[in-house]
Amino acid sequence: MKEASKLQVLTGASPTNELVRSTAAPAASAKELHDRFHRGSGYVYHRFGSNPTVSGAERALAELEGAERSVLFPSGMAAVATLFFAARRAGIRRLLLQHQAFDQTVKLAAQLHRWGDMVVEAVDPEALGGALRGLDGEPALLYLESPSNPMIVVADLQGIAREFREACPDGWLAVDSTLAPPVVQRPVALGVDVSLHSMTKYLYGHADHMGGAVSTSAAIAERLRAAQVLLGTVATPESAWLLTRSLKTLGVRMATIDRSADAVARFLASHSEVLEVRHPSLMFERFPFLSSQMSGGGGLLSFVLAGGLERARRFCDGLALIEIATSFGGTSSVVEVPVDIDWKDQGETRLPGLLTLPRELIRLSIGLEAQEDLIADLAQAIDVSASP
Ligand code: PLP
């Protein structure tokens, strides 16, 4: 099958997508159960990672990511937490964390740092040299988020993978690629060890289900599996079934979302009241690596309007079509002011070197509405928010 059609209608890995709900599979004999458990093949118990519906969805996602294996989790944060735990169990005590990443990922890393379980250092993906040299061969987890939520920081994944491999051959390079799902960006295919997703966003794509995923090598997947057995961070068969269903429309959803987000970013960038717009589609010139890394810009963008935080809030209130809600990646376009939600207490993390979010930053997630309607709504809300 041609690569393009495989991405548009994913069928190969789990064509029937049968929902198996039982948590344990009966065996014909005690010997058979013993053998199934010790050979690690066949369905034994759901938390051991052998539920057939979950395994089918994992195979489908791994195929899409170009990875040996994928492991599903009940949320994006369950995936992040299990990854940190698995890295620590593998003897990694140092975490190099991109200086802007999802708020709760940063807070979890800061917690591990405070407990002394991990030494955490915030790093700029454009200037990693010093941090990598400072490792002096010690294995580390380098954790990037590209593009990042909500500042849209981008990292040169191929270049960093080469640099990291040389400086830290026993380390793990992980990328949270939630803003750019596999049809847009495939970190593992670019040489990264671990691609992580909050599937709550584009992979499920309808703002109606939570999930997380990690796609990686067989060796790291085994370590994640062992961590998952202890933590219990397993996805349900229903979640796995829904993932296989949702993957079939990922390509067409992202094509529409990419086109509209691109048009919206250009409209905002050309508006006299808009001081700054952040979206990958506007960054291809400054960061040439993006053209071989991302096939589109994804649906999340952020921007700053003249007039500060109060203007930003008035702008959100003035929108008629676009809803005020957090999260992103669904069918409906949504807007939020990040410092009003998660990021309001970012100072608490006390990790030096983190980027500070502009208080007036507005985050916009583009959905499947008509492009002209979205632009008209943004234009009228910019106008009505001009005066208090
Ligand atoms: N990573 C990124 C980039 C996110 O935006 C989020 C949630 O917004 C997460 C991870 C956590 O995902 P979840 O909400 O599914 O736990």
Side-chain angles (χ1 to χ4, degrees), residues 73-84 102-109 196-198 200 210-212 233:
F73 298 90
S75 69
M77 280 314 297
V80 177
T82 308
L83 175 68
F84 287 0
F102 175 56
D103 175 71
Q104 277 112 70
T105 300
V106 174
K107 285 182 179 138
L108 178 63
L196 183 143
H197 282 273
S198 163
T200 315
M210 297 204 77
T233 48

Side-chain angles (χ1 to χ4, degrees), residues 73-80 101-105 143 145-150 176-179 196-201 204 209-213 300 326-328 342-343 363:
F73 298 90
S75 69
M77 280 314 297
V80 177
F102 175 56
D103 175 71
Q104 277 112 70
T105 300
Y143 191 95
E145 187 176 302
S146 185
S148 72
N149 171 15
D176 182 333
S177 190
T178 296
L179 275 66
L196 183 143
H197 282 273
S198 163
M199 302 198 299
T200 315
K201 312 303 184 314
Y204 282 126
H209 203 76
M210 297 204 77
L300 198 75
T326 192
S327 198
F328 58 91
D342 297 334
W343 280 268
R363 191 184 80 177

Side-chain angles (χ1 to χ4, degrees), residues 31-349:
K31 168 99 175 54
E32 189 197 313
L33 191 61
H34 167 279
D35 289 351
R36 257 196 240 159
F37 181 79
H38 288 281
R39 263 193 264 110
S41 63
Y43 189 14
V44 178
Y45 179 60
H46 181 165
R47 185 163 42 74
F48 299 162
S50 51
N51 175 283
T53 306
V54 178
S55 307
E58 287 175 337
R59 278 195 302 278
L61 183 62
E63 187 185 342
L64 204 50
E65 287 264 38
E68 285 176 350
R69 300 262 297 275
S70 291
V71 181
L72 302 188
F73 298 90
S75 69
M77 280 314 297
V80 177
T82 308
L83 175 68
F84 287 0
F85 183 72
R88 182 65 193 84
R89 288 184 91 218
I92 294 175
R93 297 193 54 106
R94 193 169 283 271
L95 169 57
L96 303 179
L97 177 68
Q98 182 170 294
H99 62 0
Q100 202 278 298
F102 175 56
D103 175 71
Q104 277 112 70
T105 300
V106 174
K107 285 182 179 138
L108 178 63
Q111 180 72 69
L112 297 175
H113 185 73
R114 276 200 296 279
W115 282 340
D117 278 10
M118 289 271 214
V119 178
V120 184
E121 191 185 332
V123 293
D124 176 352
E126 282 192 71
L128 279 174
L132 292 182
R133 278 192 298 280
L135 290 176
D136 209 13
E138 180 188 343
L141 170 62
L142 172 56
Y143 191 95
L144 305 173
E145 187 176 302
S146 185
S148 72
N149 171 15
M151 297 269 276
I152 320 293
V153 171
V154 292
D156 174 3
L157 302 185
Q158 242 171 335
I160 291 174
R162 273 195 302 271
E163 221 184 321
F164 183 73
R165 191 67 49 236
E166 209 163 285
C168 192
D170 300 322
W172 297 2
L173 170 57
V175 175
D176 182 333
S177 190
T178 296
L179 275 66
V183 290
V184 178
Q185 174 174 280
R186 303 196 306 156
V188 173
L190 296 168
V192 165
D193 299 312
V194 167
S195 166
L196 183 143
H197 282 273
S198 163
M199 302 198 299
T200 315
K201 312 303 184 314
Y202 296 105
L203 284 161
Y204 282 126
H206 294 71
D208 59 3
H209 203 76
M210 297 204 77
V214 170
S215 301
T216 184
S217 63
I220 294 180
E222 280 309 314
R223 291 194 172 276
L224 287 167
R225 197 63 94 197
Q228 198 178 38
V229 168
L230 294 182
L231 296 172
T233 48
V234 288
T236 63
E238 288 81 2
S239 294
W241 179 89
L242 196 56
L243 175 66
T244 305
R245 200 284 313 263
S246 298
L247 287 181
K248 296 177 193 227
T249 57
L250 180 63
V252 285
R253 282 187 281 114
M254 289 319 296
T256 303
I257 287 173
D258 274 349
R259 261 197 314 275
S260 297
D262 193 285
V264 165
R266 275 164 220 289
F267 160 73
L268 290 171
S270 69
H271 199 291
S272 58
E273 293 284 290
V274 177
L275 303 181
E276 188 189 354
V277 186
R278 295 165 179 263
H279 185 251
S281 66
L282 304 175
M283 297 177 174
F284 279 71
E285 222 164 273
R286 178 164 167 224
F287 299 110
F289 61 79
L290 283 180
S291 46
S292 54
Q293 182 168 309
M294 297 182 77
S295 64
L300 198 75
L301 53 102
S302 56
F303 64 101
V304 174
L305 267 181
L309 179 59
E310 286 313 317
R311 169 84 185 273
R313 289 174 176 153
R314 284 201 304 278
F315 163 79
C316 295
D317 295 347
L319 290 162
L321 171 67
I322 300 170
E323 293 167 346
I324 305 173
T326 192
S327 198
F328 58 91
T331 53
S332 303
S333 297
V334 293
V335 73
E336 73 167 33
V337 175
V339 297
D340 280 343
I341 312 176
D342 297 334
W343 280 268
K344 65 180 183 308
D345 48 5
Q346 53 187 312
E348 257 179 34
T349 55

